[in-house]
Amino acid sequence: MPKEDTGQFRRERIDRGIYARSSDIFALSSWREMNYLLLPRILPVVILLAMPLALELAGNEYWAKVMVILAIMGIMAMSWDLLRMAGMFSLGQGLFFGLGSYVAASLNHYLEWPIILTIPIGTIAGAILGTVLLLGTLKLRGIYFAMVTLAFPLLLVRAIQATNFMGGTEGVKAAAFPDYWTIAYLAIAALLVCFFGLRRLMNSDWGLVARAIGQDDIAVTASGIDVTWRKIQVLFIASGIAAFAGTLMTHFLMYAGLSNFSLEYSILPVASVVIGGSGNFAGALLGSSLLTLATEALRALGALRIAIYSLLMVFFALMVREGIFPYLERRYHQFERKVKVD
Amino acid sequence: MSAEPILKVTGLSKHFGGVTAVDNVSFELKEGEFLGIIGPNGAGKTTLLNLITGFLKPDSGKVYYRGKNITALKPHKICELGMARTLQMVRPFYNLPAFKNVIIPLCSPRSLKFSGSQYGERDDIALDYLEEVGFERDSSVPYKPAGVLPHGYVKRLELARALAMQPDLLLLDELFSGMSMSEVASTMFIIERLRAKGMSIIMVEHRVKELVRVADRLLLLNFGAKIVEGKPIDVISSREAVEAYLGSSQEVE
């Protein structure tokens, strides 16, 4: 506990978090303690839920639409973080995203199935296809897994272009959501369900094993656990989540095209976790929100946008290496007070 | 004790490129027996364990566990049958608390077969295993991240990880390396207790002195091949053993 003398007062730094977290019952004893624990959990949820309403009422349609994209990219970032925790560093999250969006759009366009069916079927089909496509790569680790996953979306894009399958470069049209509220609140509700669901999952024993595989799969194998089967389970969940994000985006943009497999959807989740911090999904969410907002806010700057965007990335990667969320969390739990020197 | 050996290895060989790591090794282990495997560095001791536990596939030869051919099985399937090993390079999950490390094997199919290993009770069971290998239960040690534990504790954590699968056959790969004398003594005590319970044990070790004291039999490997096998005191005093460790007397002129 570093102390420094400032005249008659000295500044004392206390790690408040440990105290409050280690005594749950104690937290109920005062509003102050309850607010301390609840505010950082409830405030982001309230803001997320209020933003579409506020923006739409203020007549700011552009930023209202950005909120939907923000929620979708948040889901993407969490699905990437889930894969990374189990040791699968993917550079091809766009694969799952694109699979989900193409399945949903083609079901909707060619078979004229309603949105209420295309979204769940697109999600499940995306999860199955994504898992099956990557089944052969599960033995690969680190950079090798990353390179193979990077190749898959590029391969599919070229294949669609060459064969004119699914509309070729034209893409597939898809029906829109009935109104803005449906998509906005569907996306945000999905984001919250994913966030709290994934946190709960990763804190269970199943998640413990998955995280251990991410650290050292040999030791997990020596513990009598089928590592490949566990990886398949994680991959299925993560690709399903990303495919779900793809189906939402398809019906939001009323279109599924080659751009759904683009590098943007593969790289942005990685950048989100680099900036926001990894390990508890909150960082991924914070990072992707900041990146989405920055992308839109800087759009007016034209070509300079990418340069500033890149500089920001470099700054955070170098200066806040643990990630913004872990940094904020640490600062929140530490607080300083002035103590009179006797 | 049944007459059938718990482990039978016949003609096991493994080549890495042009190098022969394990060369036509055969041996048997009776139920409840303690076999020590010794040999100079690079003799193929760890490779032999890897072949038995399925981490490596042999080029030729067979491994039988209780009469069942397990040569082609995956490591986790072999664990499920009741064979557990410790790793030479201890690999704890560094940022997890020590007792959480033991929860991972408790989630394995082998552990789930035994009662009381259900979700929610695993923390307590994990602490029991840690206590068994000498972690002080009432102290903060089991709750510390595995990465900050002293080396001796990490080694014993590795032992607890293997024990959590409730094995019938335990394979220990250089458990004592890097341990202090007192740690070796206390760990030896734990191993003797396991043996008294009837667990069959194969121990690969450099500390020949400790092995001679507890092992029923010793097996000396050199250049991947079995050189001698027999009563510990006979093996270490054999001419082959002296040659393996110190070189042949004829070469010195």
Side-chain angles (χ1 to χ4, degrees):
Chain A
M1 220 177 279
K3 293 165 190 165
E4 60 185 83
D5 286 315
T6 47
Q8 308 151 277
F9 292 97
R10 77 187 156 79
R11 206 179 285 163
E12 192 181 41
R13 185 179 286 173
I14 298 171
D15 193 334
R16 185 178 174 185
I18 291 169
Y19 189 51
R21 268 180 278 132
S22 62
S23 47
D24 305 9
I25 292 297
F26 177 80
L28 293 175
S29 64
S30 76
W31 279 108
R32 206 185 131 109
E33 291 299 325
M34 276 163 76
N35 285 339
Y36 173 77
L37 287 174
L38 287 177
L39 267 188
R41 287 163 174 82
I42 288 176
L43 208 58
V45 176
V46 171
I47 292 176
L48 261 180
L49 289 174
M51 280 312 275
L53 193 67
L55 288 168
E56 192 71 6
L57 289 181
N60 197 335
E61 265 183 48
Y62 180 76
W63 283 98
K65 280 188 174 151
V66 170
M67 278 308 295
V68 176
I69 294 182
L70 182 143
I72 292 174
M73 293 322 280
I75 296 173
M76 282 295 284
M78 285 193 289
S79 100
W80 187 85
D81 206 12
L82 174 66
L83 270 190
R84 190 207 56 80
M85 282 182 196
M88 289 177 274
F89 192 100
S90 141
L91 285 178
Q93 217 65 11
L95 170 70
F96 314 129
F97 189 83
L99 286 174
S101 60
Y102 261 95
V103 171
S106 48
L107 287 178
N108 185 255
H109 186 69
Y110 296 119
L111 303 178
E112 294 180 355
W113 289 12
I115 291 178
I116 199 157
L117 284 178
T118 60
I119 288 181
I121 292 176
T123 304
I124 294 168
I128 294 171
L129 287 172
T131 311
V132 169
L133 279 177
L134 293 184
L135 216 52
T137 67
L138 287 174
K139 289 228 182 302
L140 304 176
R141 292 182 200 140
I143 194 83
Y144 300 100
F145 183 82
M147 291 318 291
V148 174
T149 51
L150 179 65
F152 265 113
L154 302 177
L155 186 145
L156 280 184
V157 165
R158 296 297 170 208
I160 291 172
Q161 259 178 356
T163 58
N164 241 10
F165 180 66
M166 292 284 175
T169 44
E170 301 275 306
V172 189
K173 282 202 192 77
F177 284 98
D179 53 24
Y180 172 75
W181 304 113
T182 321
I183 172 64
Y185 281 102
L186 180 61
I188 287 171
L191 176 88
L192 294 174
V193 168
C194 279
F195 176 68
F196 290 106
L198 284 176
R199 274 175 74 102
R200 202 184 167 89
L201 184 68
M202 290 317 273
N203 283 328
S204 71
D205 285 352
W206 185 88
L208 183 75
V209 173
R211 277 182 288 149
I213 290 172
Q215 281 185 45
D216 187 343
D217 52 351
I218 301 276
V220 178
T221 306
S223 302
I225 285 170
D226 187 351
V227 169
T228 312
W229 175 236
R230 294 287 177 137
K231 277 187 168 179
I232 290 173
Q233 295 173 348
V234 176
L235 183 61
F236 185 83
I237 296 173
S239 57
I241 291 172
F244 174 75
T247 63
L248 287 187
M249 191 67 112
T250 290
H251 288 295
F252 179 58
L253 300 178
M254 297 183 285
Y255 161 84
L258 295 178
S259 61
N260 289 42
F261 284 112
S262 77
L263 211 54
E264 187 190 344
Y265 295 113
S266 299
I267 297 302
L268 198 122
V270 188
S272 303
V273 176
V274 167
I275 289 180
S278 63
N280 53 14
F281 299 108
L285 219 52
L286 186 65
S288 73
S289 307
L290 289 178
L291 280 180
T292 312
L293 293 177
T295 311
E296 298 304 329
L298 296 174
R299 207 175 274 280
L301 294 174
L304 206 55
R305 173 172 74 103
I306 303 296
I308 294 177
Y309 191 85
S310 309
L311 275 178
L312 277 174
M313 291 270 303
V314 173
F315 172 80
F316 281 112
L318 288 177
M319 303 307 286
V320 198
R321 277 187 65 185
E322 58 186 334
I324 299 175
F325 183 79
Y327 173 79
L328 290 178
E329 190 184 27
R330 193 161 51 79
R331 296 300 302 198
Y332 183 73
H333 288 315
Q334 281 173 347
F335 76 109
E336 291 180 340
R337 64 176 179 196
K338 284 186 174 170
V339 183
K340 204 167 196 170
V341 177
D342 297 324
Chain B
M1 284 181 202
S2 63
E4 191 181 35
I6 188 165
L7 186 75
K8 187 175 159 197
V9 175
T10 54
L12 216 53
S13 294
K14 179 75 185 175
H15 307 272
F16 294 115
V19 184
T20 305
V22 172
D23 185 9
N24 200 20
V25 173
S26 307
F27 68 89
E28 282 185 10
L29 185 77
K30 286 197 280 290
E31 190 97 48
E33 203 180 10
F34 192 126
L35 175 73
I37 298 179
I38 58 170
N41 285 328
K45 304 183 295 289
T46 297
T47 310
L48 180 61
L49 282 200
N50 282 338
L51 292 174
I52 294 171
T53 50
F55 279 74
L56 287 173
K57 293 277 161 268
D59 295 335
S60 61
K62 296 266 190 305
V63 183
Y64 297 92
Y65 179 79
R66 295 191 196 279
K68 181 176 155 54
N69 186 354
I70 58 165
T71 322
L73 288 185
K74 294 237 162 63
H76 62 89
K77 285 283 175 199
I78 294 177
C79 281
E80 201 175 333
L81 291 172
M83 192 195 294
R85 67 170 299 182
T86 65
L87 294 163
Q88 183 183 9
M89 298 289 170
V90 276
R91 299 159 163 210
F93 307 106
Y94 287 107
N95 52 16
L96 293 178
F99 79 99
K100 289 272 185 196
N101 274 264
V102 185
I103 291 188
I104 289 154
L106 286 177
C107 296
S108 69
R110 170 85 184 168
S111 285
L112 292 176
K113 263 194 238 168
F114 300 100
S115 59
S117 178
Q118 298 310 306
Y119 185 70
E121 297 164 357
R122 291 193 192 124
D123 286 10
D124 264 350
I125 298 171
L127 288 170
D128 290 343
Y129 279 109
L130 284 180
E131 199 174 15
E132 196 175 335
V133 297
F135 279 60
E136 298 82 2
R137 191 182 186 120
D138 297 327
S139 73
S140 62
V141 184
Y143 304 94
K144 281 186 180 162
V148 306
L149 292 177
H151 186 74
Y153 276 97
V154 175
K155 282 280 191 179
R156 278 181 281 157
L157 176 62
E158 181 72 9
L159 179 60
R161 199 180 55 64
L163 290 180
M165 280 174 278
Q166 308 205 8
D168 299 324
L169 171 57
L170 181 64
L171 296 96
L172 304 169
D173 196 357
E174 301 203 7
L175 189 68
F176 291 155
S177 67
M179 277 191 183
S180 70
M181 289 310 286
S182 65
E183 281 168 344
V184 168
S186 63
T187 312
M188 209 65 225
F189 183 68
I190 297 163
I191 290 169
E192 279 173 0
R193 202 167 56 208
L194 293 173
R195 194 184 159 201
K197 280 188 202 163
M199 199 180 279
S200 315
I201 298 172
I202 293 180
M203 190 169 196
V204 166
E205 199 42 72
H206 270 302
R207 300 213 186 198
V208 178
K209 201 174 76 183
E210 276 79 12
L211 262 190
V212 169
R213 223 178 63 217
V214 291
D216 296 316
R217 274 188 305 141
L218 275 192
L219 192 156
L220 172 70
L221 282 184
N222 201 11
F223 301 113
K226 185 170 89 173
I227 307 285
V228 259
E229 185 186 354
K231 282 207 157 32
I233 201 74
D234 298 342
V235 169
I236 59 158
S237 53
S238 67
R239 197 170 57 85
E240 292 91 337
V242 177
E243 274 178 14
Y245 277 95
L246 301 174
S248 164
S249 59
Q250 284 154 343
E251 284 165 22
V252 186
E253 280 294 314

